[in-house]
Amino acid sequence: MKISILLANGDFFEAKGFGAEGTAVGEIVFNTSMTGYQEIITDPSYAGQFVVFTMPEIGNVGVNEDDMESKGAWLKGVIVREYIDTYSNFRGEKSLGEFLKQEGILGISEIDTRYLTKTIRTQGAMMMIASSEIHDKEELKKILDSTPSIQEIDYIKEVTTDKEYIHPNGAWNDIEFKYNPKNTDKRIVVYDFGVKRNILNELTEAGMECVVVPANTPVEDVIKRYQNGEIQGVFLSNGPGDPLILKDVHEKIKKLLDAKVPMFGICLGHQLLSIAHGYPTFKLKFGHHGGNHPVKNFIGKYPEVEITAQNHNYNVPEEIEEIAEVTHKNLFDNTIEGVKYKNEKVFSVQHHPEASPGPRDAKYIFKQFYEMI
């Protein structure tokens, strides 16, 4: 099917569609990972965004239930150079096109993804509209101009769990191709802002039972559990959108800090901890999205370089060094990737130590949280 695309800078394209039909508006970003498209597509942190894959061929291994990072797909659309509908993988259960159609997500192919990537890199992430129904540029522009930007929308309400549950699985067992649950002797509450399943797997594998709660769970209930000894800490998950608009979450974290609850945050959780400490985040020009980002780790006696998976558009400010020790920095642009707050049992990282997809250099961070609590 024919798809018409209009970027906020005025660029207009025609391409081929696969997956669902319809019209969608969102922010366009690019991801440089060479594998793991299903994990990326089902990562709730991409809610409200179109993802351009720089890998030219996407779809060749299909989709399967075990590689889901959440219960569905939350992004607005998938943009690829060439879509492969006939998948070849012994674990494949359906094609990517079938999955996107099932999830109501637009698939866009036969478009110059190199041009799109260079446009985003030069001009920054921006809003766009794509449609299989509307092909008039002016009509598309009217819809695009009247739609709120991603910074104005709280996607957490869409991606969070609707009820509390205990996560049942440990980390992936690569040899037997099945989950391998592990005994746990610590218990934590996981505030679900769009948590990835593999983060929960790694927390469990490190020895922590994960009680996953909705984002709107009263913080007083969590503090009471900590004070009663029912839990030993709180994990703040990854998630979509601008952390500055989540005012109610800021207040919850401040109360957790006042109660001296040990905490660990990844990605959005890292940003929210910074804001709760009084250091507002800022938006990067085009963000970090991929599986090959070098990060310098300053924790040990000698700094080490780790290759990490990343997915974020926002960052904590340099001024945070006034109250926290910087533990990690990105070697692409020298932005802060991790902090340990002074005189508190609280730390966080911007990158994704669980990978999925990506390298596993940073897996040790989950064990650090276990040891801290």
Side-chain angles (χ1 to χ4, degrees):
M1 60 186 169
K2 177 182 173 182
I3 294 268
S4 293
I5 301 135
L6 178 66
L7 304 189
N9 68 356
D11 283 354
F12 181 69
F13 308 91
E14 289 186 354
K16 289 185 179 179
F18 64 97
E21 299 181 26
T23 302
V25 181
E27 182 180 54
I28 183 171
V29 298
F30 65 85
N31 187 297
T32 58
S33 294
M34 297 183 70
T35 61
Y37 61 79
Q38 181 183 342
E39 291 94 324
I40 292 165
I41 290 168
T42 57
D43 180 350
S45 296
Y46 281 111
Q49 294 179 320
F50 286 87
V51 177
V52 177
F53 284 94
T54 60
M55 182 65 180
E57 292 186 344
I58 296 292
N60 56 315
V61 294
V63 173
N64 69 81
E65 181 59 34
D66 284 335
D67 289 340
M68 297 286 288
E69 281 298 324
S70 66
K71 60 186 178 183
W74 309 96
L75 38 56
K76 294 292 185 177
V78 174
I79 304 176
V80 303
R81 176 67 190 92
E82 183 174 354
Y83 166 61
I84 308 299
D85 190 60
T86 304
Y87 60 93
S88 178
N89 187 294
F90 76 98
R91 296 173 64 237
E93 296 169 356
K94 64 181 72 171
S95 71
L96 175 58
E98 289 176 305
F99 175 71
L100 293 181
K101 190 170 185 179
Q102 165 194 311
E103 296 294 317
I105 305 295
L106 293 177
I108 301 166
S109 66
E110 302 302 320
I111 190 169
D112 189 345
T113 51
R114 288 175 65 86
Y115 176 83
L116 289 174
T117 300
K118 287 192 276 188
T119 298
I120 299 164
R121 190 182 63 191
T122 304
Q123 300 180 33
M126 66 184 77
M127 296 294 285
M128 65 161 276
I129 182 171
S131 180
S132 62
E133 310 161 314
I134 304 165
H135 303 289
D136 179 75
K137 181 178 178 180
E138 293 306 315
E139 191 174 348
L140 290 171
K141 187 176 187 306
K142 286 179 183 177
I143 299 172
L144 180 59
D145 291 344
S146 63
T147 302
S149 71
I150 194 168
Q151 289 96 324
E152 303 171 63
I153 303 172
D154 180 0
Y155 283 105
I156 305 299
K157 297 172 183 176
E158 294 183 21
V159 302
T160 190
T161 181
D162 55 3
K163 61 182 178 180
E164 180 179 313
Y165 67 94
I166 295 177
H167 182 70
N169 299 322
W172 181 263
N173 184 318
D174 293 317
I175 297 173
E176 298 181 11
F177 290 99
K178 66 180 182 180
Y179 287 112
N180 181 22
K182 205 172 188 179
N183 291 332
T184 56
D185 61 357
K186 300 296 178 186
R187 175 180 270 207
I188 61 171
V189 158
V190 174
Y191 260 110
D192 179 11
F193 307 126
V195 69
K196 291 175 63 182
R197 283 181 180 170
N198 209 46
I199 287 178
L200 299 175
N201 293 343
E202 293 293 348
L203 287 166
T204 305
E205 188 74 11
M208 293 164 279
E209 183 178 69
C210 296
V211 182
V212 187
V213 301
N216 62 2
T217 299
V219 71
E220 292 78 13
D221 293 352
V222 176
I223 292 172
K224 186 176 180 181
R225 292 187 191 191
Y226 173 69
Q227 293 173 339
N228 290 344
E230 295 175 40
I231 63 168
Q232 285 73 52
V234 168
F235 174 75
L236 304 174
S237 85
N238 61 295
D242 187 344
L244 288 174
I245 69 171
L246 305 174
K247 307 292 186 186
D248 58 329
V249 182
H250 304 164
E251 294 306 313
K252 286 178 181 177
I253 296 174
K254 287 177 184 177
K255 290 178 180 179
L256 289 168
L257 291 169
D258 290 341
K260 301 191 182 307
V261 178
M263 280 188 284
F264 169 38
I266 288 178
C267 203
L268 179 65
H270 167 76
Q271 298 157 13
L272 289 167
L273 278 168
S274 176
I275 296 168
H277 278 91
Y279 292 82
T281 52
F282 64 95
K283 188 169 186 178
L284 297 167
K285 185 175 182 180
F286 49 83
H288 297 162
H289 311 276
N292 63 339
H293 288 243
V295 166
K296 184 176 278 190
N297 172 4
F298 298 98
I299 295 175
K301 185 175 180 181
Y302 303 104
E304 296 181 352
V305 175
E306 301 161 359
I307 307 302
T308 67
Q310 309 230 352
N311 175 24
H312 62 103
N313 276 6
Y314 299 89
N315 227 88
V316 305
E318 294 288 340
E319 291 78 11
I320 203 167
E321 294 190 51
E322 296 169 358
I323 62 162
E325 172 194 356
V326 173
T327 57
H328 301 78
K329 278 202 170 184
N330 190 301
L331 294 181
F332 279 157
D333 60 7
N334 211 38
T335 52
I336 292 174
E337 288 282 348
V339 295
K340 167 70 175 71
Y341 289 93
K342 298 173 184 176
N343 305 315
E344 294 179 309
K345 286 191 173 184
V346 179
F347 73 100
S348 60
V349 293
Q350 182 60 77
H351 51 281
H352 282 262
E354 85 290 349
S356 189
R360 296 174 174 267
D361 297 23
K363 276 186 64 171
Y364 65 88
I365 291 173
F366 295 102
K367 203 66 179 178
Q368 285 184 346
F369 184 42
Y370 171 82
E371 291 167 355
M372 185 181 79
I373 64 172

